[in-house]
Amino acid sequence: MSRYQNKQSVTVRDVMAAKSKGQKLSCVTCYDSAFARLIDRTSIDLVLVGDSAGNVVLGYDSTIPVTMDQMVHHTAAVARGLTRPLLCADMPFMSYHLSEAQALENAARLVQEGGAQCVKLEGGGAIVPQVRRLVEAGIPVMGHLGLTPQSVHQLGGYRVQGKGSDGARQLKKDAQDLEAAGAFAVVLEMVPMELAAEVTALLHIPTIGIGAGPQCDGQILVLHDLLGFEAGFKPKFLKKYADMGALVIKALEEYTSEVKACQFPRAEHSFSDSQK
Ligand code: KIV
């Protein structure tokens, strides 16, 4: 069933309404069809094809090298496996900073070629004209404030943002400006939980936290992080709900030792002339 036929699909309106109903939103990233099909069988509300694809599945050490073509490719793969959760795609580094026209052209690719239902942009005041333009064109926008990984060089590392009164004031203003420009939600990444709670109370649109405490209207985690792919990756905000890394290594070691010991494949895994 395509998402267009699925009356149970989560919409941008549902995400916005969750806040007034006091219902928390559960969000996760995804980069391929195999995981999208699994997520589709859960109650996750929103799936983000994050530019964290750069770190998580493309082997880069930041999100900065990720291109529009790569985001379209991964978004389309996820869209093919997903029918129910709302599908959001990240606009990668420098795909929306040059002009409103550039932002519109690239967001349209994520929606038209990738099958995204909304897009996410990092930043505050400086990108408000782009946000307004996309929303006017019918493309829903999710904002992203606090630690914005595309600005890692400017921020001087992956560190908590919005500390101190100036930082907090600026973050609150940015959040209100994004809401006024028509954003339907805003991600708050690595900000003090007290500030995230204040922003959540200030806004009418939902806040989606990652390292922003329990008061946000929803939470998002990187799929591979919450599944425990990387034993050594342990940021304070992360809770691992599985130990997939260990599981995968164990399965692969068992497979390789059976192959080398001629224990796999057996007759039951093989075809024979005498079988129909
Ligand atoms: O790219 C990403 O995965 C993100 C989430 C961590 C919010 O932006």
Side-chain angles (χ1 to χ4, degrees), residues 29 31 48 50-52 90 120 122 144 187 189 210 220 222:
T29 68
Y31 317 100
L48 171 70
D51 60 354
S52 52
D90 254 343
K120 176 165 79 58
E122 293 183 8
H144 185 157
V187 168
E189 180 164 356
I210 173 165
I220 186 163
V222 167

Side-chain angles (χ1 to χ4, degrees), residues 10-264:
V10 179
T11 65
V12 162
R13 289 172 73 102
D14 294 330
V15 167
M16 295 176 80
K19 178 161 182 147
S20 48
K21 293 181 191 159
Q23 294 167 349
K24 294 278 187 185
L25 293 157
S26 62
C27 316
V28 73
T29 68
C30 185
Y31 317 100
D32 64 37
S33 273
F35 270 120
R37 284 195 298 273
L38 291 176
I39 293 170
D40 212 41
R41 293 163 58 185
T42 73
S43 311
I44 294 280
D45 297 304
L46 181 150
V47 168
L48 171 70
V49 184
D51 60 354
S52 52
N55 311 70
V56 179
V57 295
L58 297 176
Y60 300 129
D61 62 3
S62 79
T63 59
I64 290 174
V66 177
T67 65
M68 267 307 299
D69 284 348
Q70 287 167 335
M71 287 308 300
V72 169
H73 173 87
H74 285 283
T75 304
V78 172
R80 286 191 286 271
L82 213 63
T83 61
R84 196 194 47 76
L86 185 68
L87 177 54
C88 186
D90 254 343
M91 297 199 67
F93 182 69
M94 283 302 141
S95 67
Y96 51 97
H97 295 86
L98 303 188
S99 65
E100 292 170 42
Q102 183 216 21
L104 190 53
E105 200 171 322
N106 283 326
R109 281 195 66 195
L110 290 168
V111 173
Q112 203 165 28
E113 296 172 47
Q117 294 161 302
C118 49
V119 297
K120 176 165 79 58
L121 282 68
E122 293 183 8
I127 59 143
V128 158
Q130 283 89 324
V131 172
R132 192 172 292 118
R133 184 72 193 93
L134 299 192
V135 173
E136 278 167 7
I139 301 176
V141 172
M142 183 151 76
H144 185 157
L145 295 172
L147 173 66
T148 46
Q150 291 170 15
S151 307
V152 62
H153 298 314
Q154 174 124 352
L155 300 175
Y158 299 96
R159 55 185 73 226
V160 177
Q161 301 296 312
K163 279 184 159 179
S165 53
D166 285 354
R169 198 175 312 116
Q170 185 61 52
L171 196 135
K172 283 188 265 186
K173 180 173 181 340
D174 284 338
Q176 287 179 304
D177 287 350
L178 287 171
E179 176 173 272
F184 75 91
V186 59
V187 168
L188 300 177
E189 180 164 356
M190 285 183 74
V191 303
M193 59 182 172
E194 300 82 1
L195 175 59
E198 268 191 77
V199 174
T200 301
L202 266 178
L203 299 187
H204 300 97
I205 57 173
T207 56
I208 312 290
I210 173 165
Q215 303 294 331
C216 293
D217 298 302
Q219 298 293 328
I220 186 163
L221 284 175
V222 167
L223 179 66
H224 292 58
D225 295 348
L226 84 87
L227 293 179
F229 270 67
E230 204 63 71
F233 187 61
K234 296 176 188 155
K236 184 175 165 67
F237 63 78
L238 176 60
K239 178 171 175 188
K240 295 187 184 184
Y241 288 84
D243 189 1
M244 283 294 288
L247 217 64
V248 169
I249 290 169
K250 183 170 173 293
L252 292 176
E253 287 296 9
E254 214 170 301
Y255 162 68
T256 189
S257 77
E258 287 197 3
V259 167
K260 287 171 197 281
C262 301
Q263 291 169 344
F264 177 84

